[in-house]
């Protein structure tokens, strides 16, 4: 009897410990998600409502907020600008990173290891070291307010090359390449026909991560773009945030939501791939 | 007999040579250079050249309009004695520490919870913890700016509603509170990311080690400190260095939260903000470039101190 009592208490103790643990985990999830939820709620409420009190339920003022937002700055245009830059950056960085990774895996050439080490070293250089020189260089080329200086550097994305190369080492078969050669295919054709499809899972993972990184990029557009028509979403948000006169709070929340919600959707569809990409970063350590 | 073998050996060698010759026609190894060339060319133009150009500018007086004039090491000597620079460095470090401590505590606790227990809904929880990391720091800062705003921001409304305060609080005018908020925002943004990295390390630890320890009568507490933590040292070092390097360059949150001026009382001015303002508001590009190199030296020094102390620690244990 006593033994079963003790077992019962223990079970209860373990049970309540589990409940406590789940409560903490869920609370933390709420803390992580609540700001986004409040953002979406407030994006649908009128400025007067937002200022007079908080609510957990959405309101019906979305259309009005949208009008207010667009009348102050063209957020949709910024959305399009951000998308153009992020999409071009992603395509370039994926294609050329795969090309570079394939080059390192499919061929043996002199200084191969040295060059790869050099590539890894470039990953460790802090970004702030180049901004002044980058600005002066772009200014000298008369390319301020152009998207090219934001897009072209993505051809050399060392982290993406590193990730795809790790994958390529297990995935690229030299005998398949060899037989394609005997059939008379050129080297770049072999890459496009055999290399790219085989590497596509790794390219996809890095593509999502790269798209989000470019979408969120702030420092470079801030330095290079001064024409409000060319502004990306982070620059628009900065402008709205700094403008403290006659503000439509609902419109402000909506503008922030416009910059965040697409990323949330991408994340909830592809979270597995994104977290895989993060994990791969950890394997370096 | 012997000769016959020799001859057949020779024939074989000849065949091998012929094959090799044929292969060399198929040897396309030099194509490797063509494949990796775009990366290195673009890196030279958009990566290395600006870095060297910054180095050159750091030895000049340059206002963005007239040509740079060479002034030697004057900019560097000025950084050494610039109280604003040291104040910014101090702020940067204080805010990094405020964010990084809770970030690591939560990352390790959560990883341990997820690794030692079978948790239902692990995938969705992990995703939710990670989500803030993916969002632009600018948008997050603007959002928190709304939440913290005075007098009718969300946080003041909640505090008043529950009767916890009588008067709304002007959070962003209090230096300590504002620095704490930046730390909190950084914690909120990054603990999920740190957790995923630590967890990757934890799942790599063989479960037979835990089982053996359990058989020897160790409890979860002992297992965590005696097995998990020591084996996680390499990944902890990696994550810590990453956080340090990122933290010393922090810019976005502070800039948005304070409208670029580091208010209140300059306590939110970070080194990179100071660098940015020096160049793009006060048009002193040469001095700004020197600050960039000074910060780089500081980051390199801090990283190598962490790295070397880690290597030393290894030597002692071995």
């Amino acid at each position: 009897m006593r033994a079963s009592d003790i077992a019962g208490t223990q079970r209860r103790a373990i049970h309540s410990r589990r409940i406590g643990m789940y409560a903490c985990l869920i609370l933390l999830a709420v803390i992580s998600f609540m700001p986004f939820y409040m953002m979406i709620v407030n994006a649908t409420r009128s400025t007067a409502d937002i200022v007079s009190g908080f609510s957990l339920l959405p309101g019906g003022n979305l259309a009005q907020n949208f009008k207010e937002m667009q009348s102050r700055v063209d957020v949709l245009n910024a959305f399009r600008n951000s998308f153009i830059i992020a999409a071009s950056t992603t395509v370039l960085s994926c294609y050329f990173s795969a090309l570079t990774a394939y080059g390192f895996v499919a061929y043996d050439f002199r200084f191969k290891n040295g060059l790869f080490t050099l590539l890894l070293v470039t990953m460790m250089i802090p970004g702030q070291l180049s901004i002044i020189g980058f600005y002066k260089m772009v200014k000298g080329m008369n390319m301020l307010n152009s998207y090219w200086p934001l897009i072209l550097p993505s051809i050399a994305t060392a982290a993406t090359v590193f990730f795809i190369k790790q994958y390529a080492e297990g995935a690229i078969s030299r005998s398949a390449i060899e037989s394609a050669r005997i059939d008379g295919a050129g080297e770049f054709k072999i890459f496009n026909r055999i290399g790219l499809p085989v590497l596509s899972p790794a390219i996809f993972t890095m593509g999502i991560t790269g798209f989000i990184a470019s979408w969120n990029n702030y420092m470079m557009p801030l330095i290079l773009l001064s024409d409000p028509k060319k502004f990306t979403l982070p620059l628009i948000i900065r402008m709205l945030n700094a403008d403290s006169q006659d503000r439509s709070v609902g419109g402000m929340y909506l503008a922030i939501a416009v910059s965040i919600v697409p990323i949330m959707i991408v994340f909830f569809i592809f979270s597995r791939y994104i977290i895989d990409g993060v994990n791969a970063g950890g394997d370096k350590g | 007999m012997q000769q016959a073998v020799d001859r057949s050996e020779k024939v074989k060698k000849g065949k091998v040579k012929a094959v090799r010759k044929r292969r060399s026609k198929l040897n396309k190894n030099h194509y490797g250079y063509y494949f990796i060339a775009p990366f290195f060319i673009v890196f030279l133009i958009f990566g290395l050249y600006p870095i060297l150009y910054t180095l050159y500018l750091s030895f000049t007086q340059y206002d963005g309009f007239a040509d740079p004039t060479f002034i030697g090491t004057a900019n560097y000597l000025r950084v050494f004695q610039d109280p604003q620079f040291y104040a910014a460095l101090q702020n940067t470090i204080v805010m990094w520490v405020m964010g990084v401590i809770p970030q690591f505590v939560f990352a390790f606790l959560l990883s341990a919870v997820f690794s030692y227990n079978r948790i239902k809904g692990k995938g969705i929880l992990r995703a939710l913890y990670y989500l803030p990391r993916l969002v632009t720091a600018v948008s997050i800062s603007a959002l928190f700016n709304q939440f913290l705003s005075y007098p009718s921001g969300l946080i003041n409304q909640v505090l008043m509603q529950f009767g916890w305060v009588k008067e709304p609080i002007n959070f962003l005018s209090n230096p300590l509170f504002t620095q704490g908020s930046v730390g909190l925002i950084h914690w909120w943004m990054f603990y999920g990311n740190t957790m995923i990295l630590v967890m990757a390390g934890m799942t790599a630890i063989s479960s037979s080690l835990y089982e053996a320890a359990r058989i020897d009568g160790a409890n979860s507490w002992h297992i965590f400190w005696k097995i998990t933590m020591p084996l996680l040292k390499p990944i902890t070092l990696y994550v810590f260095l990453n956080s340090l390097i990122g933290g010393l360059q922090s810019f976005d949150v502070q800039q948005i939260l304070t409208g670029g001026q580091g208010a209140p009382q300059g306590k939110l001015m970070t080194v990179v903000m100071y660098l940015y303002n020096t160049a793009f508001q006060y048009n002193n590009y040469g001095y700004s470039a020197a600050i960039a190199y000074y910060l780089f030296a500081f980051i390199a020094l801090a990283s190598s101190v962490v790295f070397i102390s880690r290597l030393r620690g290894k030597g002692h244990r071995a």
Side-chain angles (χ1 to χ4, degrees):
Chain A
M1 256 234 338
R2 261 189 67 179
S4 75
D5 261 5
I6 292 169
T9 348
Q10 251 177 4
R11 221 179 3 250
R12 262 197 302 278
I14 290 173
H15 197 67
S16 60
R17 233 187 73 187
R18 275 193 86 78
I19 290 175
M21 196 170 72
Y22 273 103
C24 290
L25 291 176
I26 290 167
L27 178 71
L28 205 53
V30 170
I31 291 173
S32 279
F33 195 72
M34 202 57 176
F36 297 121
Y37 180 75
M38 293 313 297
M39 166 191 82
I40 293 168
V41 166
N42 280 351
T44 63
R45 298 171 72 213
S46 71
T47 300
D49 283 352
I50 296 170
V51 174
S52 63
F54 74 94
S55 158
L56 292 175
L57 297 173
N61 210 45
L62 184 61
Q64 179 60 29
N65 283 345
F66 184 80
K67 246 184 255 162
E68 284 176 18
M69 175 185 89
Q70 282 299 99
S71 71
R72 288 172 71 204
V73 282
D74 195 349
V75 175
L76 283 189
N77 181 50
F79 187 95
R80 200 164 46 234
N81 294 342
S82 277
F83 187 82
I84 290 169
I85 296 175
S88 338
T89 304
T90 307
V91 169
L92 279 187
S93 95
C94 282
Y95 186 81
F96 282 98
S97 298
L99 192 78
T100 314
Y102 179 90
F104 275 115
V105 172
Y107 301 99
D108 294 311
F109 45 89
R110 283 225 292 168
F111 311 120
K112 178 165 131 166
N113 292 330
L115 285 168
F116 190 68
T117 311
L118 189 70
L119 183 143
L120 290 184
V121 169
T122 67
M123 260 188 336
M124 292 166 200
I125 303 167
Q128 42 84 18
L129 201 53
S130 69
I131 50 175
I132 303 294
F134 196 83
Y135 171 79
K136 175 87 165 65
M137 177 181 92
V138 171
K139 197 179 174 194
M141 297 191 299
N142 253 331
M143 296 258 260
L144 291 176
N145 280 320
S146 152
Y147 290 158
W148 291 114
L150 295 170
I151 294 171
L152 285 178
S154 65
I155 290 173
T157 315
T160 308
V161 175
F162 179 77
F163 183 85
I164 298 177
K165 183 185 174 253
Q166 298 293 95
Y167 184 85
E169 270 161 3
I172 294 283
S173 137
R174 286 209 181 183
S175 56
I177 296 173
E178 198 87 341
S179 54
R181 261 179 214 149
I182 290 166
D183 292 345
E187 294 302 302
F188 288 97
K189 197 173 171 191
I190 295 176
F191 167 72
N192 288 327
R193 291 281 165 81
I194 300 177
L196 276 182
V198 165
L199 297 178
S200 58
I203 295 174
F204 187 67
T205 300
M206 287 325 273
I208 298 167
T209 322
F211 184 89
I212 293 174
S214 169
W215 183 268
N216 290 345
N217 190 8
Y218 174 55
M219 185 67 128
M220 279 302 165
L222 177 67
I223 290 168
L224 300 179
L225 305 177
S226 56
D227 176 3
K229 281 201 201 80
K230 299 274 175 100
F231 275 7
T232 58
L233 278 172
L235 298 189
I236 287 287
I237 301 286
R238 167 179 183 258
M239 205 168 86
L240 283 173
N241 180 66
D243 171 21
S244 55
Q245 282 173 351
D246 180 42
R247 51 197 312 165
S248 150
V249 181
M252 179 74 204
Y253 272 110
L254 183 59
I256 298 173
V258 167
S259 74
I260 292 180
V261 170
I263 296 292
M264 286 169 68
I265 293 170
V266 169
F267 178 62
F268 283 122
I269 298 173
F270 300 115
S271 69
R272 211 168 53 83
Y273 298 95
I274 293 171
I275 289 177
D276 275 358
V278 184
N279 272 338
D283 288 345
K284 276 181 293 184
Chain B
M1 191 61 176
Q2 186 60 40
Q3 269 184 346
V5 171
D6 277 357
R7 203 171 300 149
S8 79
E9 201 95 304
K10 258 183 196 162
V11 171
K12 245 189 219 161
K13 266 186 189 161
K15 260 189 191 161
V16 168
K17 246 187 191 166
V19 169
R20 246 190 220 146
K21 250 192 185 157
R22 215 176 322 138
R23 273 244 174 93
S24 74
K25 265 188 197 161
L26 278 174
N27 183 352
K28 307 282 189 181
N29 274 332
H30 62 282
Y31 269 88
Y33 294 115
Y34 301 140
F35 275 78
I36 67 169
F39 178 96
F40 284 97
I41 293 168
V42 169
F43 172 71
L44 286 180
I45 299 171
F46 291 106
L48 190 62
Y49 177 72
I51 289 172
L52 297 176
Y53 203 17
T54 308
L55 183 65
Y56 161 72
L57 288 175
S58 72
F59 292 106
T60 66
Q61 171 96 44
Y62 175 53
D63 63 3
F65 303 104
D67 283 338
T69 45
F70 191 79
I71 53 166
T73 56
N75 285 328
Y76 286 94
L77 295 176
R78 199 179 135 194
V79 185
F80 269 109
Q81 299 163 352
D82 184 350
Q84 274 180 294
F85 173 81
Y86 286 107
L89 187 61
Q90 193 193 343
N91 294 337
T92 311
I93 293 171
V94 166
M95 283 183 275
W96 171 66
V97 170
M98 280 174 165
V100 80
I101 291 173
Q103 196 180 309
F104 270 73
V105 169
F106 274 81
F108 277 95
L109 272 177
L110 287 169
S111 305
V113 166
F114 281 121
S115 304
Y116 298 157
N117 304 281
R118 189 167 297 146
I119 304 282
K120 277 180 201 146
K122 179 179 163 183
I124 181 93
L125 286 172
R126 223 170 46 151
L128 284 172
Y129 298 159
Y130 185 72
L131 176 64
R133 164 70 181 81
L134 282 179
V135 174
T136 336
V138 174
S139 301
I140 286 180
S141 316
L143 190 60
F144 276 89
N145 209 5
Q146 291 298 325
F147 291 161
L148 291 167
S149 73
Y150 176 82
S152 53
L154 184 78
I155 292 176
N156 269 321
Q157 285 175 356
V158 173
L159 291 178
M160 303 268 284
Q161 182 92 7
F162 290 106
W164 288 329
V165 295
K166 287 211 178 70
E167 293 289 312
I169 303 167
N170 193 350
F171 293 111
L172 294 175
S173 68
N174 177 331
L176 192 67
F177 185 89
T178 318
Q179 285 191 333
S181 305
V182 173
L184 193 75
I185 293 172
H186 279 150
W187 163 77
W188 182 76
M189 283 176 75
F190 294 118
Y191 80 91
N193 185 55
T194 312
M195 176 198 78
I196 283 169
L197 294 173
V198 172
M199 216 148 73
M202 275 199 195
T203 32
I205 297 171
S206 155
S207 61
S208 63
L209 280 174
Y210 295 139
E211 275 161 31
R214 290 244 185 245
I215 289 166
D216 289 347
N219 58 29
S220 300
W221 182 254
H222 284 133
I223 290 177
F224 183 74
W225 287 108
K226 301 282 175 181
I227 297 178
T228 311
M229 283 303 276
L231 286 172
L232 276 180
K233 271 207 174 150
I235 208 154
T236 312
L237 179 76
Y238 166 78
V239 177
F240 185 78
L241 275 181
N242 252 355
S243 168
L244 176 72
I245 294 169
L248 286 174
Q249 295 184 76
S250 75
F251 169 73
D252 305 12
V253 175
Q254 289 92 337
Q255 206 225 16
I256 295 297
L257 222 47
T258 65
Q261 291 310 315
Q265 295 163 34
K267 284 294 180 193
L268 251 66
M269 180 64 75
T270 68
V271 176
V272 175
M273 258 170 90
Y274 185 51
L275 183 161
Y276 174 85
N277 288 351
T278 303
F280 299 101
Q281 287 200 320
Y282 304 114
N283 293 326
N284 198 343
Y285 295 88
Y287 187 49
S288 177
I291 295 172
Y293 265 89
Y294 199 96
L295 177 63
F296 173 64
F298 188 82
I299 289 174
L301 191 74
S303 309
S304 44
V305 166
V306 173
F307 202 72
I308 287 166
S309 67
R310 154 86 183 121
L311 290 181
R312 281 248 178 87
K314 209 182 215 171
H316 277 300
R317 260 216 326 279

